[in-house]
Amino acid sequence: SGRVTLDGKAAAGVKVIAFKRDRSYQREPIATARTDESGHYQLIKLPSDRYDITPIAPAYIAPAYVGSGQAEEGVSGRPVALAEGETIDSVDFSLTRGGVITGRITAADGQPVTYERITLIQLGPKGEKRPLFDLLANDFGTDDRGIYRIFGLPPGRYLVSVGRETEKGGSNVGGAHYFSRTFYPGVTDESKAGPVEVKARAEATGIDIALGPTKKTYSASGRVVDAK
């Protein structure tokens, strides 16, 4: 149990989730609760195990915890090792508004690319890729003007891209064409992508990507039979 605050004030109605702690990108939620008017929450009937306790509040972030409880800026969450019959109190979170990345996606002819999904890769201190657990529930894409806005980001450096790798099928446009995966500021080679610096409470604007021509797609069909 614990308390959640937003900029120092009680945060009511915030969902708090206990995830089973592992190294996979697809974490399994074990229990959920919502904070009351005073910001308090309680997760009950948890089996003994290791958990990440994470508050989910759109546009807001909490410090990430590493080692023996030391906090660092990053993905929201706090590790808890719960023994049989144990009660752990004061698992508190102080939320602040996260950063924003926004820009516009256009096609080769300058027209806006609509309803296209944006992909983010967070980079660690040494350039290593880091998972973005809190964004898995959100599907950020472009609107009818080709504009996207991704909010609630932990401070750090990010690679922004649109489309997918050719060998993975590409990103469909009208079902018959796709865009090759393109990184900001408009390159298809990930090693040449420009990292975007994000700060808490701030917006990184003008992160625009101009895509190349669409690629034609093809179909393959066949029949699968067993040994008989």
Side-chain angles (χ1 to χ4, degrees):
S1 63
R3 187 169 185 259
V4 180
T5 57
L6 294 178
D7 296 325
K9 298 180 180 179
V14 174
K15 181 185 290 186
V16 181
I17 304 178
F19 291 100
K20 186 174 181 179
R21 194 165 202 220
D22 56 41
R23 295 181 179 275
S24 69
Y25 284 80
Q26 299 293 331
R27 298 187 300 174
E28 180 184 357
I30 302 300
T32 63
R34 287 192 179 274
T35 57
D36 60 19
E37 293 183 356
S38 61
H40 288 96
Y41 73 91
Q42 187 179 45
L43 295 160
I44 62 174
K45 299 182 179 179
L46 291 170
S48 59
D49 210 329
R50 300 175 69 230
Y51 298 96
D52 279 321
I53 310 300
T54 304
I56 305 296
Y60 286 86
I61 58 172
Y65 289 80
V66 295
S68 58
Q70 180 182 358
E72 66 172 0
E73 292 297 331
V75 178
S76 306
R78 182 168 176 177
V80 171
L82 190 64
E84 186 73 29
E86 184 180 13
T87 297
I88 299 178
D89 303 316
S90 301
V91 184
D92 301 334
F93 296 93
S94 178
L95 306 182
T96 58
R97 184 170 290 277
V100 174
I101 296 177
T102 183
R104 189 166 184 258
I105 308 299
T106 54
D109 59 2
Q111 294 299 308
V113 176
T114 61
Y115 309 113
E116 192 74 11
R117 189 175 184 274
I118 308 299
T119 300
L120 287 187
I121 298 173
Q122 187 180 29
L123 300 177
K126 298 181 179 179
E128 71 276 14
K129 298 179 181 180
R130 301 174 65 178
L132 282 170
F133 292 123
D134 292 352
L135 295 181
L136 295 179
N138 299 319
D139 188 11
F140 293 100
T142 57
D143 62 15
D144 60 318
R145 301 163 295 173
I147 294 174
Y148 71 91
R149 188 173 188 274
I150 305 175
F151 55 85
L153 293 172
R157 296 187 305 146
Y158 295 85
L159 299 183
V160 183
S161 67
V162 62
R164 297 181 183 177
E165 294 91 339
T166 303
E167 60 270 19
K168 293 185 178 179
S171 184
N172 289 337
V173 180
H177 298 82
Y178 70 90
F179 289 115
S180 296
R181 189 177 189 187
T182 305
F183 293 84
Y184 174 79
V187 297
T188 55
D189 185 347
E190 183 177 331
S191 65
K192 297 180 180 178
V196 177
E197 187 74 27
V198 173
K199 298 180 180 179
R201 303 173 182 269
E203 289 197 18
T205 61
I207 310 304
D208 305 334
I209 300 177
L211 298 173
T214 57
K215 306 289 186 178
K216 185 178 179 180
T217 61
Y218 299 86
S219 299
S221 63
R223 183 166 178 258
V224 179
V225 298
D226 61 22
K228 296 181 181 180

